[in-house]
DNA sequence: AACGCGCGCCAACCTGTGTTAGTTTGCCCA
DNA sequence: TGGGCAAACTAACACAGGTTGGCGCGCGTT
């Protein structure tokens, strides 16, 4: 069973088998398990390690003094929490596990070693980073200018592709292990309204969601509903 | 009169005079003028150059098929439109001039040359990029979880610091050459509501805004109103 | 001097989303 | 097998912010 990180990298660049072995090695060292709802990296810390998500979902979030929470990114299996830790000092946000999560802890040196003399890996990490940035832009546009249904439909489309590329979707059916309050914090709404919107997507026959699994019944319809254009996810 | 790009870089790293000369040289070649409301880089293009903003304000934006516009980033004098063009192919968004703008056109090679053997410059560009990313995160949080006044107050605080660091603010007074519809597209609201909110900030004595210039009358008050914490802008 | 026009500004009204306060479902564990 | 609890779900109501439409000012153009 290939690991999701390697699969994703292979979408960006052609990897030699040695490249693949190096990346796979990163994912097999210093494995840690983190309980759901725990922080992987707290706010205001100066982390020395980065983490590669192997299983479960996490998020990058900001917490306001009065308790409001904004989820600014979702981290799925195969995602690197911070590919370039070695440049950064203080965290201006936190990283939290939304479900129980398995991670591999990686040091800056290990990333440096993996890149050295392996241009494919370097290029792959770059593209990964550019894709992440493109997702950020799309989220700003989404929260700023898409309606509730459009936002939710768009997010589902994004997750569908990201999980597919990590080898974790089964055709048009994908894991969706987060709660409605989590979705709400990611989309800038309330859980009540997420629930309403979900119902509307369901009754219009676009998706089905039960027991933590989303099934897209009408992919084209869902994409249209969310004004989804996959171009932003394809840095090639 | 020093250029805003060099000033900003000097906030990130200590530059040798030769570093400074190199960076300054970049800002003096291939100068172009772009009229207000024109695209600097259209959508779907595969740009070969990047642009350094020398004067005027621009934005990174996404346009929806039905005409809605989302501004996902503001580009101020001293900002590089895309510090790492050489990795990216197709634009998933556009870059537009909000006011008349002066830019220096820069090739990937020039950036490569500037970095080679000059670690301070490389480090500075990294920090610049990390700051940009941090701003993206903050915008997502803002549009997702801040109220209208909080958002506007927060944006003003952000711009105050960014312009100060570029050497373009006069104490607590700063240029604000954008229209209310522009602010609306950046904050995910309508221009009518921006107007209402502006009035509220004005009548509560926090800011004054006239003839394209913002004066912050009560900086602490404004920061509090916007839940502004400058930490995210300081990657040190 | 007159015109046009983008922009700031405002009022009245409307609606999408938030708030509050539940009931129901489903799952884990004793 | 049942008790406890978190999450899903719903209804009624409230309100922040959107929509529409209109006025007037400042400024550039002729």
């Amino acid at each position: 069973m290939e690991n999701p990180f390697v699969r994703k990298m292979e979408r960006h660049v052609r990897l030699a088998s040695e490249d693949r072995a190096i990346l796979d090695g990163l994912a097999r060292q210093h494995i840690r398990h983190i309980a759901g709802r725990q922080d992987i990296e707290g706010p205001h810390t100066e982390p020395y390690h980065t983490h590669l998500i192997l299983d479960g979902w996490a998020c990058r979030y900001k917490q306001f003094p009065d308790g409001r929470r904004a989820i600014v990114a979702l981290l799925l299996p195969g995602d690197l929490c911070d590919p370039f830790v070695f440049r950064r000092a203080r965290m201006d946000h936190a990283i939290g596990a939304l479900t129980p999560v398995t991670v591999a802890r990686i040091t800056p040196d290990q990333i440096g070693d993996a890149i050295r003399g392996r241009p494919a890996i370097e290029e792959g990490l770059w593209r990964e980073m550019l894709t992440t940035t493109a997702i950020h832009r799309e989220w700003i546009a989404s929260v700023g200018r898409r309606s509730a249904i459009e936002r939710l439909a768009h997010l589902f489309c994004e997750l569908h592709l990201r999980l597919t590329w990590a080898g974790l979707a089964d055709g048009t059916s994908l894991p969706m292990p987060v709660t409605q309050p989590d979705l709400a914090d990611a989309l800038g709404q309330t859980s009540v309204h997420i629930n309403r919107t979900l119902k509307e997507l369901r009754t219009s026959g676009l998706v089905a969601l039960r027991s933590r699994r989303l099934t897209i019944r009408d992919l084209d319809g869902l994409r249209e509903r969310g004004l989804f254009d996959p171009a932003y996810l394809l840095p090639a």
Side-chain angles (χ1 to χ4, degrees), chain A residues 157 206 216-228:
Chain A
C157 293
L206 294 174
I216 301 177
R217 294 218 128 38
D218 174 1
L219 183 56
D220 290 341
L222 189 67
R223 289 186 166 183
E224 195 173 340
R225 207 78 184 71
L227 303 166
F228 180 81

Side-chain angles (χ1 to χ4, degrees), chain A residues 1 16 39-40 53 95 104 121 155 158 166 194 198 208 235:
Chain A
M1 182 56 195
D39 275 357
I40 297 175
I53 312 268
I95 297 178
I121 291 181
L155 180 65
E158 177 187 309
I194 291 289
L198 219 34

Side-chain angles (χ1 to χ4, degrees), chain A residues 172-174 205-210 213-218 222:
Chain A
T172 186
S173 153
L174 34 136
L206 294 174
V207 306
L209 176 56
R210 55 175 217 292
R213 195 158 188 93
L214 178 80
T215 303
I216 301 177
R217 294 218 128 38
D218 174 1
L222 189 67

Side-chain angles (χ1 to χ4, degrees), chain A residues 44 60 80 83 92 105 118 122 144 164 177 188 195 217:
Chain A
H44 316 306
R60 207 178 282 284
L80 220 34
D92 64 318
R105 222 176 43 189
R118 312 239 50 112
E122 184 174 15
T164 297
N195 190 286
R217 294 218 128 38

Side-chain angles (χ1 to χ4, degrees), chain A residues 9-27:
Chain A
M9 289 291 277
E10 271 177 316
R11 228 186 44 79
H12 292 306
V13 289
R14 185 174 305 282
L15 296 176
S17 68
E18 195 173 340
D19 293 324
R20 217 173 293 122
I22 290 173
L23 294 177
D24 197 59
L26 287 180

Side-chain angles (χ1 to χ4, degrees), chain A residues 34-199:
Chain A
I34 290 138
R37 314 270 136 203
Q38 294 299 310
D39 275 357
I40 297 175
E41 197 65 66
H44 316 306
T45 59
E46 300 192 6
Y48 178 65
H49 302 89
T50 183
H51 300 270
L52 171 61
I53 312 268
L54 297 172
D55 190 53
W57 289 24
C59 69
R60 207 178 282 284
Y61 72 96
K62 295 202 167 219
Q63 190 101 35
F64 291 76
D66 63 2
R68 279 177 278 179
R69 180 181 66 155
I71 291 180
V72 301
L74 287 175
L75 301 169
L76 312 180
D79 284 348
L80 220 34
C81 286
D82 193 345
F84 299 97
V85 250
F86 48 92
R87 300 282 171 177
R88 177 105 201 151
R90 189 92 54 78
M91 293 276 290
D92 64 318
H93 62 280
I95 297 178
L98 293 172
T99 69
V101 156
T102 307
V103 299
R105 222 176 43 189
I106 299 178
T107 65
D109 288 347
Q110 286 178 297
I111 292 188
D113 291 346
I115 287 176
R116 201 180 347 277
R118 312 239 50 112
I121 291 181
E122 184 174 15
E123 180 68 20
L125 286 175
W126 270 106
R127 289 186 185 262
E128 184 57 23
M129 189 177 184
L130 292 170
T131 304
T132 303
T133 305
I135 292 173
H136 281 156
R137 282 192 294 263
E138 195 64 48
W139 278 41
I140 295 174
S142 227
V143 184
R145 282 291 176 242
R146 271 184 256 257
S147 72
I149 314 194
E150 289 167 352
R151 251 181 264 183
L152 191 54
H154 190 277
L155 180 65
F156 284 162
C157 293
E158 177 187 309
L159 292 173
H160 172 232
L161 283 188
R162 288 173 65 189
L163 289 166
T164 297
W165 291 331
L168 294 167
D170 175 10
T172 186
S173 153
L174 34 136
M176 184 66 53
V178 294
T179 66
Q180 294 182 9
D182 291 335
L183 287 175
D185 284 340
L187 296 177
Q189 294 172 226
T190 58
S191 60
V192 175
H193 202 59
I194 291 289
N195 190 286
R196 284 195 275 251
T197 308
L198 219 34
K199 185 177 173 184

